[in-house]
Amino acid sequence: MGSGCLKVTKYFLFLFNLLFLILGAVILGFGIWILADKTSFIAVLQTSSPSLKTGAYILIGVGALTMLMGFLGCLGAVNEIRCLLGLYFTCLMIILITQVAAGLVIYFQKETLKGELSHIVKDLIEKYNPLNEDKKNLQEVWDYVQIQISCCGWTGAKDWEDNGIIINKSMTEYPCSCSNRTEDLEEGRGFCRLDDPVNGTATYTDWPVHGQGCMDGVEQWLKDNLGVILGVCTGVAVIELLGMILSISLCKNIHSEDYTKVPKS
C-alpha cells in the first residue's frame, strides 16, 4: 500500500483513539457519579446494594483502562510503533469481550436486581426513624424520591403500615414526604400528624397521601439512566471495533512499508 494510504490510516486511527479517550473518561465519570451521588435514588442503592457498588468499580476500571488504551493507540499510530499497535489491538479485544459479557450478566440478572431493590426499600421503610442520625442521609434521599415522583411507599402507602413508629402511634401519623398537602411537603421529612383521627386510630386509607407506589417511577428512572449508560457503552464498542480494524491494518501496512525499504541485492 502507498505511503499516502498509510498516512490516512494513521491519522484516522489517531482521531478514533482521541474520541476513544474521551468516551473512556465519560465511562469513568459514570462510575464515580454512582459512588459519589448523594441527592438521588442511586444513593439508596449504592449505600445498601453491594451489586451496584461492584458495578460502579467495574465502570471506573473499564473507563480508566479505556483511557489508557486510547493513549497507547494515539502514541502507536503517530510514531508507527508496531508492538504498541499489537498491544492496543489485544487490549481492545479483551475490553470488548468483557463489555459483552457484563451486558449479558446484567440482562439475565435484572429480575434478581429488581428483587434486591424491593427488599432494600421495604427494609428502609420499616426502620425509618427521623431521629436516627446514622441513617439520616439515606432517609432524606428516600423522602426526596417520594416528593419528586409524587408517590408513597414501594408498592403503595400500605407499605408504611409496617413502620415501627407509625404502629406505635396507632397509624395517626404518616410520612410527610408522601403527603399531597403543600404544608406537609414544606416539612419534607419525618412524620406528620393526622387531623382528627376517628377514635384515636386510623389506617393508611385515612392519610392524605399519594396512592401510587414508587416502584413504577423508580423503575422508569433507572431505565432512563441505564439507557444513557448503555448508549455510551455502545458508542465505545463501535469505536473499539473501528480501532481494532484500523490498528491491525496500520500494523500490516507498516510491515509492508518496512519490506519495501529493504535494498535489493
Side-chain angles (χ1 to χ4, degrees):
M1 184 181 290
S3 59
C5 290
L6 182 63
K7 287 182 179 180
V8 171
T9 304
K10 180 173 70 174
Y11 289 117
F12 260 115
L13 182 59
F14 175 82
L15 289 175
F16 273 113
N17 278 288
L18 189 61
L19 185 58
F20 193 56
L21 189 68
I22 294 171
L23 287 176
V26 173
I27 291 178
L28 179 66
F30 270 119
I32 295 174
W33 167 67
I34 289 173
L35 292 178
D37 183 42
K38 301 297 181 184
T39 60
S40 68
F41 186 72
I42 204 73
V44 176
L45 293 179
Q46 72 95 4
T47 302
S48 307
S49 174
S51 300
L52 193 72
K53 285 185 179 180
T54 302
Y57 286 123
I58 290 174
L59 281 176
I60 291 172
V62 169
L65 185 59
T66 300
M67 291 177 67
L68 177 62
M69 291 303 100
F71 173 75
L72 289 177
C74 288
L75 190 63
V78 171
N79 296 302
E80 299 182 9
I81 305 174
R82 292 188 65 209
C83 62
L84 274 183
L85 290 172
L87 177 63
Y88 170 74
F89 175 85
T90 303
C91 290
L92 275 185
M93 185 168 60
I94 292 172
I95 291 174
L96 186 60
I97 292 172
T98 303
Q99 287 175 341
V100 172
L104 290 174
V105 169
I106 291 172
Y107 178 79
F108 288 111
Q109 291 293 319
K110 60 183 180 181
E111 290 301 321
T112 302
L113 182 61
K114 182 178 178 180
E116 182 179 306
L117 176 59
S118 176
H119 174 74
I120 290 169
V121 174
K122 289 185 177 181
D123 183 66
L124 173 64
I125 290 173
E126 288 177 13
K127 298 177 181 178
Y128 183 98
N129 183 350
L131 299 179
N132 187 346
E133 292 297 324
D134 294 335
K135 298 288 186 178
K136 181 179 178 181
N137 290 338
L138 196 61
Q139 292 174 167
E140 285 182 347
V141 167
W142 182 244
D143 286 328
Y144 173 83
V145 170
Q146 292 191 136
I147 292 172
Q148 293 299 313
I149 303 180
S150 298
C151 59
C152 189
W154 182 242
T155 57
K158 185 175 175 58
D159 292 340
W160 280 98
E161 285 193 327
D162 296 326
N163 178 267
I165 293 177
I166 292 179
I167 291 173
N168 291 336
K169 297 291 184 178
S170 301
M171 306 295 172
T172 58
E173 290 189 0
Y174 57 92
C176 297
S177 57
C178 280
S179 180
N180 52 27
R181 302 192 306 185
T182 306
E183 57 269 27
D184 290 338
L185 292 179
E186 291 175 357
E187 178 67 24
R189 67 184 302 265
F191 298 106
C192 293
R193 184 76 180 176
L194 183 66
D195 296 333
D196 301 323
V198 179
N199 298 324
T201 61
T203 65
Y204 77 94
T205 57
D206 299 314
W207 300 341
V209 298
H210 298 289
Q212 177 190 5
C214 298
M215 181 173 60
D216 293 338
V218 170
E219 284 183 349
Q220 188 59 49
W221 182 89
L222 289 172
K223 286 178 182 177
D224 291 343
N225 285 274
L226 185 61
V228 173
I229 296 172
L230 290 177
V232 171
C233 291
T234 300
V236 171
V238 171
I239 294 174
E240 285 171 350
L241 284 172
L242 291 173
M244 289 170 66
I245 294 170
L246 289 172
S247 64
I248 199 66
S249 175
L250 181 59
C251 196
K252 287 183 178 180
N253 290 338
I254 292 172
H255 183 70
S256 300
E257 287 287 316
D258 289 340
Y259 273 109
T260 59
K261 292 176 183 177
V262 175
K264 296 180 180 180
S265 56

